[in-house]
Amino acid sequence: MRRGTVAIVGRPNVGKSSIFNRLAGEKLAITDDASGITRDRLYSNCEWLDQEFSLIDTGGIELKDVPFMEEIKAQAQLAIDEADVIVLVTDGRVGITNGDQDVVNILHRSKKPVIVAANKIDDVKFMDNIYEFYNLGVEDVYPVSALHGVGIGDLLDKIIELLPEKKIKHYDDTVEFAIIGQPNVGKSSLTNAILGTERVIVSDVAGTTRDAIDSKFTRDGKNYVVIDTAGIRKQGKIYENAEKYSVLRAIKAVERSSIVLVVLDGTKDIEEQDKRIAGYAAEYNKGVIIVVNKWDAVEKDEKSMKEYMEKIRSHFVFLSYAPIVFVSALKNQRIHTLFEQIVKVHENYTRRVSTSVLNDILLDASIMNQAPIFNGDRIKLYYGSQVEVCPPTFVIFVNDPSHMHFSYQRYLENRLREAFELSGTPLKLILRKKDE
Ligand code: GDP
Ligand code: GDP
């Protein structure tokens, strides 16, 4: 269950970034190295007690060339605009400062719940310091030490309690896809190319969000909604000049779609920011298609396409399942190929496979390639079944999940991908211990 967005605000140096890392948990460290996803510290997808929420560190938006107070105001405003719950971080040893008071004054203009995390309470002897923070006019003050990881669980419990149960609005029988990518890669042009020949039934600012424009259309008897993140600019908001803010908008669109088109500018090299943006599509377990745009403007020979594909594969290791399509939005070239992939990836994303075939594959896989001994024993697969779609999710009952080596899990995933048509979709394997 997805539960909306939490924003962290506060003066510089109170420990926002440290708390962000604690709340985001170990997941950050793991995904960083293993999958090659580049992270900025602005945003994370968090999980606590089976509840998921998005976390924003407003300290990460880094406005350039604005006075300190302006920056703080912008951060508080960002939190008000984007979050369902706001965590105001203060320095628990210093007590209330004018800066804290200024931030809280802005926050109180909204009806959003505010929790104070009094940080740097590394020792119980500082515990009494927290009471003074009730003077900020908030109901909840939590002592934490980001340094030692103390108090984080209680803070997370409260966050979950305050978060609304969010239903993301979905259209029935409709393939929803988002178009994301850096500024100027051609997202708007691609949206126009896609909509150009189609009849747009409605094109409006969706009721659920102010961050993207939803356009509904039909093509070959199928209904689609394209969520265009480039179409809207929040006029006059100071944080608009923050580059990272466009990432935030992209993520909101990713959350709401089932398929994500990650657009790259084929005339340019792949940049860190491309990887970062693509990383979110992977993190949210969406169907993904990598679209190389502006292919008309590339000086090509017979090797160019292959070379670009290899470059993509080496940079986007975490999206090895995503098909790659080369298009020109401007010249309207190969848009039909893109649609073939959208249809296919959507089928795969919602695919159900038969339990008996699944178990044949698992049996074959374990016979052909014996699992390595790991943590004292070999993993033994008993049986599996598919429990979910979007993306396809398989539960496999085993002797003991702790014996599963990462490489063997990947081997099993590959076998499933060979056996079933699953291009473009992530798949999840959940291991369960079978009770004897
Ligand atoms: P931000 O600017 O608000 O994002 O703050 P940072 O997370 O970068 O932390 C600022 C400084 O405070 C760093 O030197 C941290 O190591 C330190 N710090 C953060 N949390 C704690 C804590 O719980 N206890 C102590 N003693 N120091 C902390
Ligand atoms: P966005 O910021 O990602 O929405 O990018 P736009 O759609 O506004 O496009 C940025 C620039 O790239 C514009 O000048 C477009 O005309 C140009 N552009 C977009 N698609 C193509 C393409 O397929 N080929 C070429 N040559 N230029 C393109």
Side-chain angles (χ1 to χ4, degrees):
M1 168 71 74
R2 170 148 293 287
R3 300 287 299 267
T5 303
V6 177
I8 300 177
V9 296
R11 296 181 293 113
N13 273 318
V14 289
K16 292 184 296 300
S17 159
S18 310
I19 288 188
F20 176 83
N21 288 334
R22 284 286 179 188
L23 293 178
E26 289 152 39
K27 215 181 88 231
L28 276 184
I30 295 166
T31 44
D32 263 350
D33 313 339
S35 61
I37 296 178
T38 324
R39 236 147 254 294
D40 47 26
R41 65 172 204 137
L42 175 66
Y43 205 89
S44 178
N45 188 21
C46 298
E47 228 182 287
W48 181 249
L49 306 174
D50 281 344
Q51 311 280 321
E52 280 184 78
F53 61 91
S54 303
L55 183 67
I56 311 172
D57 175 6
T58 62
I61 67 169
E62 289 165 5
L63 300 181
K64 290 187 189 79
D65 304 326
V66 299
F68 164 74
M69 250 333 278
E70 287 299 304
E71 178 149 14
I72 290 267
K73 267 192 211 155
Q75 290 171 2
Q77 192 59 47
L78 176 69
I80 290 171
D81 286 352
E82 304 289 345
D84 302 295
V85 172
I86 299 167
V87 177
L88 170 62
V89 181
T90 59
D91 189 325
R93 298 202 199 165
V94 170
I96 297 175
T97 65
N98 290 340
D100 296 332
Q101 194 64 57
D102 290 338
V103 180
V104 102
N105 289 346
I106 300 171
L107 296 180
H108 281 332
R109 283 185 223 143
S110 81
K111 296 264 181 312
K112 303 276 165 89
V114 178
I115 312 171
V116 167
N119 190 32
K120 309 195 185 183
I121 308 282
D122 303 339
D123 194 305
V124 282
K125 70 177 185 233
F126 300 120
M127 206 61 151
D128 287 347
N129 292 13
I130 72 165
Y131 298 107
E132 107 169 62
F133 290 103
Y134 285 100
N135 292 328
L136 290 170
V138 298
E139 277 183 28
D140 300 292
V141 179
Y142 283 81
V144 296
S145 164
L147 190 68
H148 299 307
V150 175
I152 302 297
D154 290 344
L155 181 61
L156 280 163
D157 285 345
K158 188 67 195 179
I159 288 172
I160 294 291
E161 186 191 315
L162 290 173
L163 279 171
E165 300 247 340
K166 270 224 166 154
K167 269 232 169 313
I168 292 173
K169 181 182 152 203
H170 281 293
Y171 302 85
D172 298 335
D173 290 338
T174 299
V175 180
E176 293 155 285
F177 62 99
I179 300 183
I180 65 173
Q182 291 208 57
N184 278 317
V185 293
K187 296 181 297 299
S188 305
S189 309
L190 186 60
T191 308
N192 290 339
I194 284 169
L195 293 174
T197 54
E198 314 303 330
R199 195 167 71 90
V200 180
I201 299 167
V202 232
S203 179
D204 63 350
V205 181
T208 49
T209 170
R210 306 138 291 148
D211 303 295
I213 295 179
D214 290 15
S215 301
K216 261 189 178 187
F217 62 96
T218 40
R219 185 181 167 116
D220 298 332
K222 252 184 155 37
N223 295 325
Y224 295 89
V225 170
V226 52
I227 304 169
D228 172 19
T229 53
I232 282 199
R233 303 271 185 263
K234 280 193 183 175
Q235 297 293 338
K237 291 276 166 70
I238 185 163
Y239 48 78
E240 186 54 44
N241 67 17
E243 181 194 309
K244 284 183 182 165
Y245 186 68
S246 62
V247 175
L248 192 64
R249 261 199 319 248
I251 293 162
K252 294 245 164 172
V254 168
E255 277 184 347
R256 299 172 49 229
S257 46
S258 54
I259 295 177
V260 178
L261 311 188
V262 175
V263 185
L264 303 173
D265 182 336
T267 65
K268 289 194 176 159
D269 256 337
I270 293 161
E271 295 171 4
E272 281 302 301
Q273 182 75 347
D274 293 316
K275 288 169 73 173
R276 205 170 277 148
I277 290 172
Y280 292 115
E283 186 171 335
Y284 282 87
N285 279 318
K286 302 298 183 175
V288 180
I289 300 168
I290 297 172
V291 182
V292 183
N293 188 33
K294 308 196 187 180
W295 201 240
D296 61 291
V298 174
E299 275 199 44
K300 306 177 270 286
D301 58 31
E302 67 283 354
K303 289 199 300 250
S304 314
M305 201 178 265
K306 188 161 168 284
E307 280 167 7
Y308 206 91
M309 279 171 120
E310 281 166 6
K311 214 186 290 177
I312 290 174
R313 291 301 177 212
S314 71
H315 279 91
F316 299 86
V317 195
F318 52 94
L319 286 177
S320 57
Y321 51 85
I324 302 169
V325 182
F326 292 78
V327 303
S328 166
L330 196 68
K331 302 248 166 92
N332 221 328
Q333 286 161 354
R334 291 187 208 246
I335 303 298
H336 63 278
T337 322
L338 180 56
F339 268 100
E340 284 164 17
Q341 287 298 339
I342 292 174
V343 170
K344 198 159 146 194
V345 171
H346 189 255
E347 274 172 19
N348 298 345
Y349 192 63
T350 53
R351 183 169 303 286
R352 281 185 194 280
V353 307
S354 96
T355 306
S356 62
V357 181
L358 173 67
N359 282 290
D360 287 348
I361 304 295
L362 291 176
L363 183 65
D364 274 0
S366 57
I367 291 170
M368 278 178 56
N369 186 357
Q370 199 183 31
I373 290 183
F374 184 61
N375 280 335
D377 204 352
R378 272 181 229 288
I379 190 103
K380 195 163 164 23
L381 314 178
Y382 294 114
Y383 57 91
S385 71
Q386 184 177 356
V387 292
E388 270 313 341
V389 291
C390 304
T393 303
F394 304 93
V395 167
I396 303 177
F397 288 89
V398 299
N399 53 344
D400 183 345
S402 71
H403 300 312
M404 177 63 94
H405 190 264
F406 176 69
S407 66
Y408 199 69
Q409 171 143 348
R410 200 150 63 188
Y411 160 74
L412 291 177
E413 278 181 30
N414 289 339
R415 295 311 310 258
L416 293 175
R417 287 188 182 280
E418 284 162 23
F420 306 109
E421 176 52 73
L422 293 168
S423 72
T425 179
L427 54 91
K428 285 205 224 167
L429 291 188
I430 299 169
L431 302 176
R432 288 252 162 82
K433 190 179 168 73
K434 180 174 166 282
D435 294 325
E436 309 294 339

